[in-house]
Amino acid sequence: MTFLMDSKVLSTFGQHGKPHTVLDLGSLAALGFALAFYLLKGTPWNRPDPYHRLWFERPQFKDGFQSNQPAAIRNIAEQLEQTNQEVVIFWGSQSGTAEIFALKLARECHIRYGIKAMAVDLSDYDSETISQIPETKLAIFILSTFGEGDPSDNAGRFWELLRKESSELFLPSLHYAAFGLGNSNYKYYNNVVDVIVDVFNKAGAKAFMPVGKADDANGGTEENYLMWKADLLSVLGEKLNRQERDNIYIPTLVVREDPLLKPIDLHNGTPIEQSCGSKTKAPKISSIQALTVTQARELYNTPKRNCIHLELDLGSHSQVRYKTGDYLAVYPIAPDEEVDGLLNALGWQENGSVPLIISVCGEGATPKIPSPTCANALLRHYIDICGPVARDVVKDLAQFAPTPESKDLLLGLGKSKTAYYTFTNKNHVTLGRLLSLAAPGAVWKDLPLSYLLDTLPTTRPRYYSIASSSVISAQRLAITVGVETRPLPEEPSTDIKGLTSNYLLAIANAFSKTESLPLYQLTGPAGVLEGHKIHAAIRKSKFKLPTLPTTLIVMFAAGTGIAVFRGFIQERARLKSIGRGVGQMILFFGCRNPEEDFLYHEELEKARKELGRHFEIVTAFSRVPGREGRYVQDVIRHKAEEFSELMNKDASLYVCGRASMAREVTKAVQDVLMAQNGWNQTKLDEWSDSMKRGNKWFDDVWG
């Protein structure tokens, strides 16, 4: 590019182009600035300052925590040496159970045996450095499995490393123990711990005790873990030459009041973003935003049960976008009765809003609870006070009991499995309720708030399949919420209410100005949820429609499992309406009674008319008076020949619902194919593996 200058301008610089005066210099500088502006298009000064936010942060509370924390060490071997730890307990947790087991185990190692142990999030350290852990240190892995044998989000990078580089791993100095959390209703029961143990052993690692496994199919996770933990602590005591001591609580956190802080300084309940530990991939979950619920309606036609349809507006939240098949992560709020009951039992009812600063005792750890905050926010938003109290926690609480009678009661319940289950079958035992039942009217003044933070899990989001298509409504999504209520075994008049589903029911009732119990602070912390808003985020899913819209798909669902298929059907109906070719869809759907809980019946009938031969619904009703109950698996067997023909057309299979339903559907599919095709078990296994590898079989199951 050529730039021409006026001769008069040029002449001002003299014969040889040199400036002679201040004016000359100014003209030259202006010309240079203009040229730079033209060539660079303003890039340097238009780029946002990445540190601009620091002008508005209080330096002592950067990132929600106190800023005097040392820089994070990503090498776990170095961390163990620097902090002189003897045992490291890695946790991979999706719902929070594995995390709380690990944290409690680290404390028990120290309290009962004087063993220096640290519990760490697998994503907080570089997975490669596990190979550097010396044989003088012991490693324990507590790992959950969910979905189709998947690891928790925070264990994803560790899982990928082991699976991709298993043949190159060399771990001769690693001495480890492992415990897995799973559900035998799932096809891949405890797959994560099985795979990791196999890789470890092939790499030369040495297990110092047998692998433990928890099965949540019948609610046995807690007892399975307690039995394994008892053996583990005994082995650790022997290996490290320690004698057991009295189990007296030693806090890992310091909680102190700071009345000089103002409300604006506090974390008042807004959820804290959690890292998934992936350093190379896009996050699986979006940022958390306050999304507006724009519509709510009841889907069941029975007064005894509730299922609600909610629609949410993503609006201007450009960082929160979904694709058909994704999940909505909803962050719940604890009900007023649980918060107030626990505050009263602790004697904090007058001090719930007092500013608190939370810090760790010792080195090498970071509090999972944001600081500064207050007790009201802690109990309502940050720690889960609505879950049942585990038997070992009941036993520990005895040391804080305000009366001899309450101490004896708690010790008896904690030591006897039979006594504990007899008591909990008659009483809904959340922490606040337990304290009130054990010592009615008494104040537990010796029970420190730090114990709750050390012992109770943090509040985690609950995930709901999105029941809409992003092709049709990119900025508006829907979820289908089955409201959980379960009567006590020996007190059927008392219901145990699901935390998140009943919170969402309260929001739905607020639309019609119908008051329901329990009550919640629906306006949220500092009123940020006023106007029917909830804190939520989008979580990516692998449960997606085939890339080619002409692919035949067969869908199996029961109850609220139909939610994700509503989005699938909407998307294909829209494609057909604009002239695109679509493949056939067959939906096998089961519910109790078509008059009571046939979800989205009218919508499905409308879609059937729009899609014509491209959409078929096969129903199974389990509780119709005067008729034999039928489930989805029964219908599959009844239509064995037709189903076998569908599979010969290269169909993709999708199963969505409770794990027990998915297990029975899978078995029915396999039985039908073996019988219709004359396959043996080897041929069936080959077919199943090829379906999974080819992304032709998808499961989205829970419970």
Side-chain angles (χ1 to χ4, degrees):
M1 183 178 294
T2 303
F3 296 93
L4 301 176
M5 297 186 199
D6 188 278
S7 60
K8 291 183 180 180
V9 174
L10 195 58
S11 68
T12 62
F13 299 119
Q15 258 184 334
H16 303 290
K18 293 181 180 180
H20 291 293
T21 66
V22 174
L23 181 61
D24 294 343
L25 290 171
S27 300
L28 183 61
L31 180 62
F33 183 81
L35 287 172
F37 185 88
Y38 183 85
L39 292 171
L40 297 176
K41 307 296 185 183
T43 300
W45 44 85
N46 282 341
R47 183 178 299 149
D49 177 8
Y51 303 104
H52 180 68
R53 61 180 174 81
L54 297 180
W55 288 97
F56 307 100
E57 286 188 359
R58 292 171 180 264
Q60 69 270 36
F61 301 127
K62 284 172 59 180
D63 300 324
F65 303 106
Q66 295 179 27
S67 62
N68 59 358
Q69 294 292 330
I73 297 175
R74 297 289 304 175
N75 186 311
I76 185 59
E78 290 181 8
Q79 182 70 47
L80 292 174
E81 289 296 333
Q82 289 189 17
T83 57
N84 197 30
Q85 302 290 330
E86 299 169 280
V87 177
V88 57
I89 306 162
F90 296 99
W91 55 265
S93 185
Q94 195 69 17
S95 65
T97 304
E99 177 185 2
I100 203 66
F101 282 172
L103 294 171
K104 288 163 63 176
L105 178 58
R107 289 195 299 275
E108 284 194 70
C109 285
H110 179 55
I111 293 169
R112 293 175 58 180
Y113 288 90
I115 296 170
K116 295 195 71 175
M118 62 185 294
V120 302
D121 183 332
L122 267 169
S123 68
D124 285 345
Y125 295 90
D126 293 330
S127 302
E128 298 86 346
T129 63
I130 290 176
S131 64
Q132 301 173 26
I133 297 175
E135 58 185 7
T136 55
K137 312 289 185 181
L138 301 177
I140 299 168
F141 296 82
I142 301 180
L143 307 166
S144 65
T145 298
F146 75 102
E148 299 180 63
D150 298 322
S152 59
D153 288 347
N154 75 305
R157 191 166 181 271
F158 173 66
W159 176 255
E160 289 181 5
L161 172 75
L162 292 188
R163 301 199 74 183
K164 288 181 180 178
E165 303 180 15
S166 58
S167 60
E168 301 177 8
L169 286 176
F170 188 51
L171 305 170
S173 64
L174 182 64
H175 290 249
Y176 79 96
F179 185 81
L181 289 82
N183 187 317
S184 60
N185 282 331
Y186 289 69
K187 181 178 180 181
Y188 298 95
Y189 167 61
N190 262 312
N191 179 64
V192 171
V193 75
D194 285 343
V195 169
I196 286 174
V197 165
D198 182 60
V199 171
F200 278 177
N201 293 343
K202 289 178 179 177
K206 301 174 183 65
F208 60 81
M209 68 172 290
V211 176
K213 293 182 181 180
D215 185 2
D216 201 42
N218 298 307
T221 295
E222 184 73 30
E223 289 300 328
N224 295 151
Y225 170 71
L226 291 178
M227 292 174 62
W228 178 81
K229 184 189 72 173
D231 293 338
L232 173 71
L233 290 174
S234 178
V235 171
L236 289 176
E238 291 177 7
K239 289 186 73 67
L240 299 174
N241 195 26
R242 305 293 171 83
Q243 298 295 318
E244 186 173 5
R245 308 184 301 196
D246 291 337
N247 190 8
I248 300 174
Y249 172 63
I250 300 175
T252 65
L253 298 171
V254 175
V255 182
R256 61 183 178 86
E257 297 182 16
D258 189 344
L260 297 180
L261 292 172
K262 305 299 181 184
I264 194 174
D265 298 323
L266 307 183
H267 290 272
N268 53 20
T270 301
I272 300 299
E273 307 279 356
Q274 299 291 332
S275 168
C276 293
S278 175
K279 306 300 177 186
T280 58
K281 292 187 174 182
K284 291 183 178 179
I285 192 165
S286 73
S287 62
I288 304 167
Q289 300 293 330
L291 304 181
T292 302
V293 178
T294 58
Q295 185 186 125
R297 70 176 191 268
E298 176 64 52
L299 297 177
Y300 283 167
N301 293 319
T302 172
K304 298 179 181 179
R305 300 161 63 214
N306 293 100
C307 183
I308 52 176
H309 172 90
L310 298 178
E311 295 191 6
L312 296 94
D313 181 21
L314 303 183
S316 60
H317 302 292
S318 59
Q319 63 274 62
V320 182
R321 289 293 178 260
Y322 79 101
K323 297 293 184 183
T324 308
D326 285 345
Y327 305 103
L328 184 72
V330 177
Y331 291 78
I333 293 175
D336 293 349
E337 60 181 354
E338 293 293 344
V339 176
D340 295 341
L342 187 48
L343 285 173
N344 288 336
L346 297 172
W348 275 71
Q349 61 269 43
E350 302 298 327
N351 301 313
S353 299
V354 173
L356 303 173
I357 292 180
I358 303 167
S359 57
V360 296
C361 301
E363 302 176 357
T366 302
K368 296 297 182 183
I369 303 297
S371 174
T373 184
C374 64
N376 200 0
L378 284 173
L379 304 188
R380 195 175 303 277
H381 300 281
Y382 292 128
I383 58 175
D384 188 353
I385 65 171
C386 297
V389 184
R391 183 161 62 88
D392 60 338
V393 176
V394 173
K395 182 181 176 182
D396 283 350
L397 285 169
Q399 63 190 292
F400 309 113
T403 65
E405 295 78 13
S406 57
K407 182 175 183 178
D408 291 342
L409 172 63
L410 296 177
L411 285 174
L413 295 176
K415 292 178 179 178
S416 170
K417 178 179 177 180
T418 302
Y420 172 79
Y421 282 105
T422 299
F423 185 80
T424 55
N425 282 342
K426 294 180 179 179
N427 300 281
H428 178 25
V429 183
T430 59
L431 182 59
R433 294 169 187 263
L434 176 64
L435 300 183
S436 297
L437 287 168
V443 174
W444 292 67
K445 56 182 176 55
D446 295 327
L447 177 57
L449 194 56
S450 63
Y451 179 82
L452 273 62
L453 304 182
D454 274 334
T455 305
L456 298 180
T458 55
T459 299
R460 298 297 182 99
R462 274 58 166 180
Y463 297 101
Y464 294 91
S465 295
I466 294 177
S468 55
S469 166
S470 57
V471 169
I472 296 174
S473 54
Q475 295 187 345
R476 190 182 180 99
L477 63 80
I479 57 173
T480 310
V481 181
V483 180
E484 295 288 337
T485 56
R486 178 172 59 86
L488 282 168
E490 296 186 23
E491 292 290 337
S493 60
T494 301
D495 286 332
I496 300 175
K497 297 182 180 295
L499 173 60
T500 310
S501 62
N502 281 274
Y503 163 57
L504 294 175
L505 176 62
I507 291 174
N509 287 336
F511 271 84
S512 59
K513 298 183 179 180
T514 302
E515 187 174 284
S516 59
L517 296 176
L519 298 176
Y520 299 82
Q521 283 193 3
L522 298 181
T523 56
V528 298
L529 300 181
E530 194 165 359
H532 308 305
K533 294 179 181 178
I534 62 173
H535 279 124
I538 302 296
R539 188 179 191 277
K540 294 181 180 179
S541 166
K542 298 177 183 178
F543 202 82
K544 301 294 186 183
L545 277 164
T547 304
L548 293 176
T550 53
T551 302
L552 165 65
I553 62 173
V554 182
M555 304 168 285
F556 303 99
T560 56
I562 199 174
V564 66
F565 297 137
R566 178 178 184 260
F568 283 13
I569 295 163
Q570 285 182 347
E571 188 154 316
R572 288 240 170 139
R574 172 59 62 87
L575 291 175
K576 183 177 182 296
S577 71
I578 61 175
R580 295 282 300 277
V582 297
Q584 188 180 8
M585 294 183 292
I586 296 91
L587 171 65
F588 289 79
F589 175 65
C591 64
R592 294 185 180 185
N593 188 309
E595 302 300 324
E596 295 181 359
D597 57 358
F598 195 150
L599 300 179
Y600 303 114
H601 189 191
E602 293 181 1
E603 290 185 26
L604 292 172
E605 287 299 324
K606 180 182 177 183
R608 181 152 56 179
K609 292 177 182 178
E610 293 174 352
L611 287 161
R613 62 182 179 82
H614 296 289
F615 182 38
E616 178 183 354
I617 306 173
V618 182
T619 55
F621 305 120
S622 61
R623 300 188 187 181
V624 177
R627 289 168 53 182
E628 181 181 358
R630 300 176 73 185
Y631 296 90
V632 174
Q633 59 266 28
D634 299 323
V635 177
I636 295 171
R637 291 189 171 92
H638 180 70
K639 291 184 171 288
E641 187 174 344
E642 296 96 315
F643 179 77
S644 182
E645 290 178 1
L646 288 173
M647 298 316 301
N648 291 332
K649 298 179 181 178
D650 196 30
S652 292
L653 299 184
Y654 295 82
V655 183
C656 189
R658 291 192 175 276
S660 54
M661 166 265 182
R663 181 190 59 204
E664 293 300 325
V665 165
T666 300
K667 186 176 186 306
V669 168
Q670 293 174 339
D671 289 347
V672 165
L673 292 178
M674 288 182 74
Q676 290 292 314
N677 298 325
W679 290 351
N680 57 23
Q681 188 62 46
T682 301
K683 178 62 178 175
L684 177 67
D685 291 342
E686 290 176 356
W687 175 84
S688 297
D689 290 342
S690 68
M691 291 288 285
K692 293 288 184 180
R693 287 196 307 270
N695 291 324
K696 302 287 288 182
W697 184 312
F698 299 87
D699 291 304
D700 184 2
V701 298
W702 63 86

